[in-house]
Amino acid sequence: GASGFYRYIQEGCAPGRPWRSRHGGIRDGGRLEAMVVDGITRKDLTGGFADGETFSVSWTPVADPEGQLGQAFDSAPEAAVFARGEGCFFESGLIYFISTSGGSASLGQVWVYDPEGETLTMLYESRSAAILDMPDNIAVSSSGGIILCEDGGADPQRMIGLAQDGTTFEFAQNLIDLRPGDIDLIDAVFPGTKANFWDDPVGGYSG
């Protein structure tokens, strides 16, 4: 669904570059803020954009961060709108994050936020499920390579690599086929696995 991109600023943090300083613990208080595209109230970023398109951004307070009066997002009426924000990764001063159902084809977007320059860039938008089907988790290497984990309807689901030149490649496939007794063996090594494992049909454990 529609969501925002947020930052939490602790009390006593230095103005201008609050992420560079800390003051006490998170429980000591602070403020939640949502990203705004400069000059555009409630900018819709769920639609299709060209790879590399960049926006200047700023921040607005979330008046009801605990959602006591409704959705917290609704209490930041100027905030930009993303589609199903999920995975996030910090690397080399940049924050990468995923909009799982974003884009003109609703197949996912990869955004990158630069806190020094206060810019947001559309890094990659999927236009074909065969290339990338609704990414969720993301990991970024120090050299700039990106791995995206799919969460769509593809069978098998895959991990897709995204190179710096915008090309993609298949990194891995999820071909696991758990048979009766396999979960018990795993649970013996990693206690709690079975209790938290989603299975359909019950007891089938096939994926």
Side-chain angles (χ1 to χ4, degrees), residues 58-130:
S58 52
W59 299 87
T60 186
V62 178
D64 182 26
E66 296 183 2
Q68 296 181 344
L69 303 177
Q71 295 291 328
F73 181 60
D74 294 336
S75 70
E78 297 180 356
V81 182
F82 297 90
R84 192 177 158 187
E86 298 209 36
C88 190
F89 200 96
F90 176 82
E91 176 57 47
S92 302
L94 301 174
I95 299 174
Y96 299 77
F97 65 96
I98 298 297
S99 176
T100 295
S101 57
S104 57
S106 300
L107 290 171
Q109 300 165 313
V110 182
W111 294 94
V112 58
Y113 165 60
D114 179 356
E116 288 281 358
E118 288 293 358
T119 59
L120 176 71
T121 299
M122 163 54 59
L123 194 63
Y124 183 82
E125 179 176 307
S126 178
R127 297 164 180 86
S128 168

Side-chain angles (χ1 to χ4, degrees), residues 139-151:
V140 185
S141 74
S142 58
S143 61
I146 297 175
I147 295 292
L148 305 165
C149 183
E150 292 182 323
D151 191 24

Side-chain angles (χ1 to χ4, degrees), residues 12-90:
C13 287
R17 296 181 178 179
W19 64 89
R20 288 189 173 274
S21 60
R22 296 192 179 196
H23 181 76
I26 292 178
R27 293 183 179 180
D28 292 338
R31 64 184 185 277
L32 185 67
E33 299 178 337
M35 178 179 284
V36 176
V37 172
D38 288 347
I40 306 176
T41 296
R42 219 42 159 198
K43 173 66 176 178
D44 185 353
L45 296 174
T46 65
F49 296 95
D51 296 349
E53 189 166 352
T54 299
F55 304 90
S56 296
V57 297
S58 52
W59 299 87
T60 186
V62 178
D64 182 26
E66 296 183 2
Q68 296 181 344
L69 303 177
Q71 295 291 328
F73 181 60
D74 294 336
S75 70
E78 297 180 356
V81 182
F82 297 90
R84 192 177 158 187
E86 298 209 36
C88 190
F89 200 96
F90 176 82

